[in-house]
Amino acid sequence: MKLKKHMLFLSVSIVLSVFIAAAIYAGTTAQDVIKMENKAYAKHTKGIVEFSHKKHAETYGAKCGDCHHDETGKALELKAGDDVKGCIECHKNPGEIKGEEAKGLSDKDKRQYHANAMHDNCTECHKKFNKDKGLKSNDQGAAPMKSKCAACHPKKE
């Protein structure tokens, strides 16, 4: 009888461990493609970017800290599987601020707006990629730039 209780306890413990491990893994694994859709885009006029996390990491060699950074902009030293915050958790203001509205604001203040932060981060990385590869923005294989919205934003349905 005592052996049956121990076996039952052991079996239940193993099953629970598997479920807990799966939940932890699922919560810290990045999707291959991340649709950048959240409350920041309630009034977005362009199609939502589908960011290929896998392609940026594996094909382009992007490091986690290229996008994920602390409040000072310093890259976080992360590795695959680490838990990270989504962009909107820090860049909380929806939309983009530009033109007269943005006049006099610091870059840090502008980056409180989600779209400003995304555009700045992506554009800087894409500029560096193109420069390192000796590519112009119109060249085959060049990373898209902010001036070519449709390269990242699909046509809105």
Side-chain angles (χ1 to χ4, degrees):
M1 184 69 157
K2 199 173 191 182
L3 181 61
K4 282 185 179 182
K5 282 184 179 181
H6 285 308
M7 290 304 290
L8 178 63
F9 176 76
L10 182 61
S11 297
V12 169
S13 296
I14 290 170
V15 169
L16 282 175
S17 296
V18 168
F19 278 110
I20 290 169
I24 290 169
Y25 178 76
T28 59
T29 302
Q31 301 167 332
D32 289 349
V33 175
I34 300 168
K35 191 164 185 175
M36 305 293 279
E37 188 167 40
N38 58 50
K39 64 184 178 182
Y41 297 118
K43 297 179 184 175
H44 205 281
T45 58
K46 295 179 179 62
I48 301 301
V49 171
E50 291 188 13
F51 176 75
S52 177
H53 192 270
K54 183 176 183 175
K55 188 173 187 178
H56 279 80
E58 293 179 6
T59 304
Y60 303 129
K63 305 282 185 275
C64 301
D66 291 341
C67 295
H68 301 282
H69 54 88
D70 69 13
E71 59 279 347
T72 68
K74 181 179 179 254
L76 294 175
E77 293 184 28
L78 300 166
K79 61 188 179 320
D82 284 350
D83 195 19
V84 296
K85 291 181 179 181
C87 310
I88 193 65
E89 292 182 54
C90 296
H91 305 281
K92 295 180 186 296
N93 294 341
E96 183 173 25
I97 189 164
K98 56 187 176 181
E100 283 298 315
E101 273 188 303
K103 206 171 198 166
L105 293 179
S106 69
D107 285 344
K108 184 178 179 180
D109 289 338
K110 290 176 194 172
R111 287 189 189 110
Q112 292 302 308
Y113 290 83
H114 194 264
N116 290 80
M118 300 302 98
H119 288 144
D120 288 353
N121 198 43
C122 297
T123 300
E124 287 306 311
C125 192
H126 286 189
K127 257 192 237 180
K128 182 181 180 328
F129 176 87
N130 291 342
K131 183 179 178 186
D132 290 351
K133 300 287 184 190
L135 299 168
K136 302 270 188 252
S137 61
N138 289 331
D139 291 347
Q140 180 73 24
M145 299 300 291
K146 188 177 176 185
S147 60
K148 294 188 175 189
C149 303
C152 297
H153 293 275
K155 195 170 192 170
K156 196 165 185 174
E157 297 171 9

